[in-house]
Amino acid sequence: MIATVILMICIAYLVGSLSSAVVICGLYGLPDPRTAGSKNPGATNVFRLGGRMPATLVLVMDILKGTVPVYSSYWMGLDPLPLGFIGLAACLGHIFPLYFDFKGGKAVATAFGVLLPLGFKLAGLLILTWAMTVFIWGYASLGAIIAVCFAPLFT
């Protein structure tokens, strides 16, 4: 069981290290998001650089980077504490990607993906909180911060 946990933590980190923004920008012929726009490899910057479709793909891929390792580990019968470390590893992979000189993004979408297996009600509340904040103040980053602050309360 310990070997499985260690293996899944390593896999989660490696999956998290795949920079969706860099890959999608490369496929669409867009500039490297780490050197253009806000210089942040995330969906918001990709939206600025290339529009809705590339940004949506980045967002979905970043969410899946958190969801897939945690869901997979859950179905393997791992306990909640190891699942937390697996989710953390996916986020750390996004923030410090092995494949991109340890320079990554903020892991907001990946963290959301990690929380998604906890339940769709939680996910819905987080999305609603983010959307309301963005609607009121117009900043996606502020929406993420406020949603993260409310996550423990919602849980």
PDB file of all heavy atoms in Angstrom, residues 127-147 150:
ATOM      1  N   ILE A 127     -17.365  27.380  -8.044  1.00  0.00           N
ATOM      2  CA  ILE A 127     -17.538  28.055  -9.336  1.00  0.00           C
ATOM      3  C   ILE A 127     -18.444  29.271  -9.175  1.00  0.00           C
ATOM      4  O   ILE A 127     -18.158  30.351  -9.716  1.00  0.00           O
ATOM      5  CB  ILE A 127     -18.105  27.081 -10.392  1.00  0.00           C
ATOM      6  CG1 ILE A 127     -17.052  26.038 -10.746  1.00  0.00           C
ATOM      7  CG2 ILE A 127     -18.567  27.825 -11.638  1.00  0.00           C
ATOM      8  CD1 ILE A 127     -17.577  24.898 -11.592  1.00  0.00           C
ATOM      9  N   LEU A 128     -19.521  29.125  -8.436  1.00  0.00           N
ATOM     10  CA  LEU A 128     -20.439  30.240  -8.207  1.00  0.00           C
ATOM     11  C   LEU A 128     -19.747  31.394  -7.480  1.00  0.00           C
ATOM     12  O   LEU A 128     -19.908  32.563  -7.853  1.00  0.00           O
ATOM     13  CB  LEU A 128     -21.657  29.757  -7.411  1.00  0.00           C
ATOM     14  CG  LEU A 128     -22.736  30.791  -7.138  1.00  0.00           C
ATOM     15  CD1 LEU A 128     -23.365  31.264  -8.446  1.00  0.00           C
ATOM     16  CD2 LEU A 128     -23.815  30.195  -6.234  1.00  0.00           C
ATOM     17  N   THR A 129     -18.966  31.070  -6.462  1.00  0.00           N
ATOM     18  CA  THR A 129     -18.226  32.096  -5.719  1.00  0.00           C
ATOM     19  C   THR A 129     -17.242  32.809  -6.641  1.00  0.00           C
ATOM     20  O   THR A 129     -17.156  34.049  -6.637  1.00  0.00           O
ATOM     21  CB  THR A 129     -17.469  31.470  -4.529  1.00  0.00           C
ATOM     22  OG1 THR A 129     -18.415  30.804  -3.692  1.00  0.00           O
ATOM     23  CG2 THR A 129     -16.714  32.510  -3.733  1.00  0.00           C
ATOM     24  N   TRP A 130     -16.507  32.036  -7.442  1.00  0.00           N
ATOM     25  CA  TRP A 130     -15.551  32.623  -8.383  1.00  0.00           C
ATOM     26  C   TRP A 130     -16.273  33.529  -9.376  1.00  0.00           C
ATOM     27  O   TRP A 130     -15.873  34.663  -9.602  1.00  0.00           O
ATOM     28  CB  TRP A 130     -14.790  31.517  -9.113  1.00  0.00           C
ATOM     29  CG  TRP A 130     -13.828  32.032 -10.122  1.00  0.00           C
ATOM     30  CD1 TRP A 130     -12.550  32.426  -9.892  1.00  0.00           C
ATOM     31  CD2 TRP A 130     -14.070  32.225 -11.518  1.00  0.00           C
ATOM     32  NE1 TRP A 130     -11.984  32.854 -11.073  1.00  0.00           N
ATOM     33  CE2 TRP A 130     -12.889  32.744 -12.078  1.00  0.00           C
ATOM     34  CE3 TRP A 130     -15.174  32.015 -12.344  1.00  0.00           C
ATOM     35  CZ2 TRP A 130     -12.785  33.060 -13.438  1.00  0.00           C
ATOM     36  CZ3 TRP A 130     -15.074  32.322 -13.690  1.00  0.00           C
ATOM     37  CH2 TRP A 130     -13.893  32.837 -14.220  1.00  0.00           C
ATOM     38  N   ALA A 131     -17.366  33.031  -9.966  1.00  0.00           N
ATOM     39  CA  ALA A 131     -18.092  33.788 -10.992  1.00  0.00           C
ATOM     40  C   ALA A 131     -18.685  35.075 -10.426  1.00  0.00           C
ATOM     41  O   ALA A 131     -18.625  36.135 -11.079  1.00  0.00           O
ATOM     42  CB  ALA A 131     -19.186  32.915 -11.606  1.00  0.00           C
ATOM     43  N   MET A 132     -19.249  35.008  -9.225  1.00  0.00           N
ATOM     44  CA  MET A 132     -19.820  36.220  -8.618  1.00  0.00           C
ATOM     45  C   MET A 132     -18.733  37.255  -8.360  1.00  0.00           C
ATOM     46  O   MET A 132     -18.940  38.450  -8.592  1.00  0.00           O
ATOM     47  CB  MET A 132     -20.553  35.862  -7.319  1.00  0.00           C
ATOM     48  CG  MET A 132     -21.868  35.171  -7.561  1.00  0.00           C
ATOM     49  SD  MET A 132     -22.774  34.607  -6.085  1.00  0.00           S
ATOM     50  CE  MET A 132     -22.290  35.706  -4.800  1.00  0.00           C
ATOM     51  N   THR A 133     -17.586  36.791  -7.879  1.00  0.00           N
ATOM     52  CA  THR A 133     -16.485  37.716  -7.609  1.00  0.00           C
ATOM     53  C   THR A 133     -15.991  38.367  -8.896  1.00  0.00           C
ATOM     54  O   THR A 133     -15.778  39.579  -8.946  1.00  0.00           O
ATOM     55  CB  THR A 133     -15.323  36.974  -6.912  1.00  0.00           C
ATOM     56  OG1 THR A 133     -15.811  36.342  -5.733  1.00  0.00           O
ATOM     57  CG2 THR A 133     -14.206  37.928  -6.552  1.00  0.00           C
ATOM     58  N   VAL A 134     -15.844  37.577  -9.941  1.00  0.00           N
ATOM     59  CA  VAL A 134     -15.391  38.120 -11.225  1.00  0.00           C
ATOM     60  C   VAL A 134     -16.431  39.084 -11.785  1.00  0.00           C
ATOM     61  O   VAL A 134     -16.089  40.142 -12.316  1.00  0.00           O
ATOM     62  CB  VAL A 134     -15.081  36.988 -12.239  1.00  0.00           C
ATOM     63  CG1 VAL A 134     -14.795  37.546 -13.613  1.00  0.00           C
ATOM     64  CG2 VAL A 134     -13.897  36.159 -11.746  1.00  0.00           C
ATOM     65  N   PHE A 135     -17.714  38.750 -11.635  1.00  0.00           N
ATOM     66  CA  PHE A 135     -18.779  39.626 -12.119  1.00  0.00           C
ATOM     67  C   PHE A 135     -18.772  40.970 -11.384  1.00  0.00           C
ATOM     68  O   PHE A 135     -18.917  42.018 -11.995  1.00  0.00           O
ATOM     69  CB  PHE A 135     -20.141  38.943 -11.956  1.00  0.00           C
ATOM     70  CG  PHE A 135     -21.298  39.789 -12.388  1.00  0.00           C
ATOM     71  CD1 PHE A 135     -21.582  39.954 -13.741  1.00  0.00           C
ATOM     72  CD2 PHE A 135     -22.101  40.430 -11.457  1.00  0.00           C
ATOM     73  CE1 PHE A 135     -22.641  40.746 -14.149  1.00  0.00           C
ATOM     74  CE2 PHE A 135     -23.159  41.224 -11.851  1.00  0.00           C
ATOM     75  CZ  PHE A 135     -23.436  41.385 -13.205  1.00  0.00           C
ATOM     76  N   ILE A 136     -18.567  40.923 -10.079  1.00  0.00           N
ATOM     77  CA  ILE A 136     -18.606  42.152  -9.271  1.00  0.00           C
ATOM     78  C   ILE A 136     -17.343  42.995  -9.456  1.00  0.00           C
ATOM     79  O   ILE A 136     -17.420  44.207  -9.661  1.00  0.00           O
ATOM     80  CB  ILE A 136     -18.816  41.816  -7.777  1.00  0.00           C
ATOM     81  CG1 ILE A 136     -20.208  41.212  -7.571  1.00  0.00           C
ATOM     82  CG2 ILE A 136     -18.619  43.051  -6.894  1.00  0.00           C
ATOM     83  CD1 ILE A 136     -20.429  40.585  -6.208  1.00  0.00           C
ATOM     84  N   TRP A 137     -16.167  42.360  -9.363  1.00  0.00           N
ATOM     85  CA  TRP A 137     -14.926  43.123  -9.369  1.00  0.00           C
ATOM     86  C   TRP A 137     -14.110  43.003 -10.656  1.00  0.00           C
ATOM     87  O   TRP A 137     -13.180  43.771 -10.873  1.00  0.00           O
ATOM     88  CB  TRP A 137     -14.055  42.745  -8.168  1.00  0.00           C
ATOM     89  CG  TRP A 137     -14.606  43.298  -6.888  1.00  0.00           C
ATOM     90  CD1 TRP A 137     -14.624  44.598  -6.505  1.00  0.00           C
ATOM     91  CD2 TRP A 137     -15.241  42.566  -5.845  1.00  0.00           C
ATOM     92  NE1 TRP A 137     -15.239  44.729  -5.287  1.00  0.00           N
ATOM     93  CE2 TRP A 137     -15.619  43.489  -4.850  1.00  0.00           C
ATOM     94  CE3 TRP A 137     -15.521  41.221  -5.658  1.00  0.00           C
ATOM     95  CZ2 TRP A 137     -16.259  43.115  -3.690  1.00  0.00           C
ATOM     96  CZ3 TRP A 137     -16.165  40.840  -4.497  1.00  0.00           C
ATOM     97  CH2 TRP A 137     -16.529  41.785  -3.523  1.00  0.00           C
ATOM     98  N   GLY A 138     -14.392  41.994 -11.475  1.00  0.00           N
ATOM     99  CA  GLY A 138     -13.742  41.887 -12.776  1.00  0.00           C
ATOM    100  C   GLY A 138     -12.343  41.282 -12.780  1.00  0.00           C
ATOM    101  O   GLY A 138     -11.638  41.417 -13.774  1.00  0.00           O
ATOM    102  N   TYR A 139     -11.957  40.609 -11.713  1.00  0.00           N
ATOM    103  CA  TYR A 139     -10.619  40.018 -11.641  1.00  0.00           C
ATOM    104  C   TYR A 139     -10.713  38.516 -11.380  1.00  0.00           C
ATOM    105  O   TYR A 139     -11.202  38.096 -10.322  1.00  0.00           O
ATOM    106  CB  TYR A 139      -9.788  40.661 -10.523  1.00  0.00           C
ATOM    107  CG  TYR A 139      -9.455  42.100 -10.765  1.00  0.00           C
ATOM    108  CD1 TYR A 139     -10.161  43.113 -10.121  1.00  0.00           C
ATOM    109  CD2 TYR A 139      -8.439  42.458 -11.642  1.00  0.00           C
ATOM    110  CE1 TYR A 139      -9.857  44.445 -10.344  1.00  0.00           C
ATOM    111  CE2 TYR A 139      -8.125  43.787 -11.871  1.00  0.00           C
ATOM    112  CZ  TYR A 139      -8.847  44.775 -11.222  1.00  0.00           C
ATOM    113  OH  TYR A 139      -8.553  46.092 -11.455  1.00  0.00           O
ATOM    114  N   ALA A 140     -10.221  37.730 -12.338  1.00  0.00           N
ATOM    115  CA  ALA A 140     -10.250  36.270 -12.186  1.00  0.00           C
ATOM    116  C   ALA A 140      -9.382  35.830 -11.016  1.00  0.00           C
ATOM    117  O   ALA A 140      -9.739  34.903 -10.274  1.00  0.00           O
ATOM    118  CB  ALA A 140      -9.789  35.599 -13.471  1.00  0.00           C
ATOM    119  N   SER A 141      -8.248  36.486 -10.820  1.00  0.00           N
ATOM    120  CA  SER A 141      -7.351  36.101  -9.726  1.00  0.00           C
ATOM    121  C   SER A 141      -7.999  36.366  -8.366  1.00  0.00           C
ATOM    122  O   SER A 141      -7.863  35.554  -7.444  1.00  0.00           O
ATOM    123  CB  SER A 141      -6.015  36.839  -9.840  1.00  0.00           C
ATOM    124  OG  SER A 141      -6.223  38.233  -9.864  1.00  0.00           O
ATOM    125  N   LEU A 142      -8.714  37.460  -8.239  1.00  0.00           N
ATOM    126  CA  LEU A 142      -9.426  37.748  -6.991  1.00  0.00           C
ATOM    127  C   LEU A 142     -10.518  36.710  -6.760  1.00  0.00           C
ATOM    128  O   LEU A 142     -10.715  36.243  -5.633  1.00  0.00           O
ATOM    129  CB  LEU A 142     -10.025  39.155  -7.013  1.00  0.00           C
ATOM    130  CG  LEU A 142     -10.796  39.575  -5.767  1.00  0.00           C
ATOM    131  CD1 LEU A 142      -9.886  39.585  -4.540  1.00  0.00           C
ATOM    132  CD2 LEU A 142     -11.432  40.945  -5.984  1.00  0.00           C
ATOM    133  N   GLY A 143     -11.204  36.322  -7.829  1.00  0.00           N
ATOM    134  CA  GLY A 143     -12.217  35.279  -7.727  1.00  0.00           C
ATOM    135  C   GLY A 143     -11.638  33.979  -7.205  1.00  0.00           C
ATOM    136  O   GLY A 143     -12.237  33.303  -6.369  1.00  0.00           O
ATOM    137  N   ALA A 144     -10.449  33.641  -7.688  1.00  0.00           N
ATOM    138  CA  ALA A 144      -9.790  32.414  -7.243  1.00  0.00           C
ATOM    139  C   ALA A 144      -9.425  32.493  -5.771  1.00  0.00           C
ATOM    140  O   ALA A 144      -9.629  31.538  -5.012  1.00  0.00           O
ATOM    141  CB  ALA A 144      -8.551  32.158  -8.086  1.00  0.00           C
ATOM    142  N   ILE A 145      -8.896  33.622  -5.348  1.00  0.00           N
ATOM    143  CA  ILE A 145      -8.496  33.795  -3.944  1.00  0.00           C
ATOM    144  C   ILE A 145      -9.706  33.694  -3.025  1.00  0.00           C
ATOM    145  O   ILE A 145      -9.679  32.996  -2.007  1.00  0.00           O
ATOM    146  CB  ILE A 145      -7.767  35.144  -3.747  1.00  0.00           C
ATOM    147  CG1 ILE A 145      -6.409  35.098  -4.450  1.00  0.00           C
ATOM    148  CG2 ILE A 145      -7.609  35.473  -2.267  1.00  0.00           C
ATOM    149  CD1 ILE A 145      -5.731  36.459  -4.572  1.00  0.00           C
ATOM    150  N   ILE A 146     -10.783  34.368  -3.396  1.00  0.00           N
ATOM    151  CA  ILE A 146     -11.984  34.337  -2.556  1.00  0.00           C
ATOM    152  C   ILE A 146     -12.596  32.941  -2.532  1.00  0.00           C
ATOM    153  O   ILE A 146     -13.008  32.447  -1.477  1.00  0.00           O
ATOM    154  CB  ILE A 146     -12.987  35.420  -3.014  1.00  0.00           C
ATOM    155  CG1 ILE A 146     -12.402  36.797  -2.675  1.00  0.00           C
ATOM    156  CG2 ILE A 146     -14.353  35.223  -2.376  1.00  0.00           C
ATOM    157  CD1 ILE A 146     -13.202  37.976  -3.144  1.00  0.00           C
ATOM    158  N   ALA A 147     -12.645  32.272  -3.690  1.00  0.00           N
ATOM    159  CA  ALA A 147     -13.197  30.908  -3.733  1.00  0.00           C
ATOM    160  C   ALA A 147     -12.381  29.968  -2.851  1.00  0.00           C
ATOM    161  O   ALA A 147     -12.950  29.152  -2.117  1.00  0.00           O
ATOM    162  CB  ALA A 147     -13.240  30.401  -5.169  1.00  0.00           C
ATOM    163  N   PHE A 150     -13.179  30.431   0.761  1.00  0.00           N
ATOM    164  CA  PHE A 150     -14.481  29.876   1.148  1.00  0.00           C
ATOM    165  C   PHE A 150     -14.521  28.345   1.093  1.00  0.00           C
ATOM    166  O   PHE A 150     -15.435  27.748   1.659  1.00  0.00           O
ATOM    167  CB  PHE A 150     -15.591  30.451   0.262  1.00  0.00           C
ATOM    168  CG  PHE A 150     -16.106  31.777   0.744  1.00  0.00           C
ATOM    169  CD1 PHE A 150     -15.609  32.955   0.223  1.00  0.00           C
ATOM    170  CD2 PHE A 150     -17.088  31.832   1.723  1.00  0.00           C
ATOM    171  CE1 PHE A 150     -16.075  34.176   0.665  1.00  0.00           C
ATOM    172  CE2 PHE A 150     -17.558  33.052   2.183  1.00  0.00           C
ATOM    173  CZ  PHE A 150     -17.052  34.241   1.652  1.00  0.00           C
TER     174      PHE A 150
END
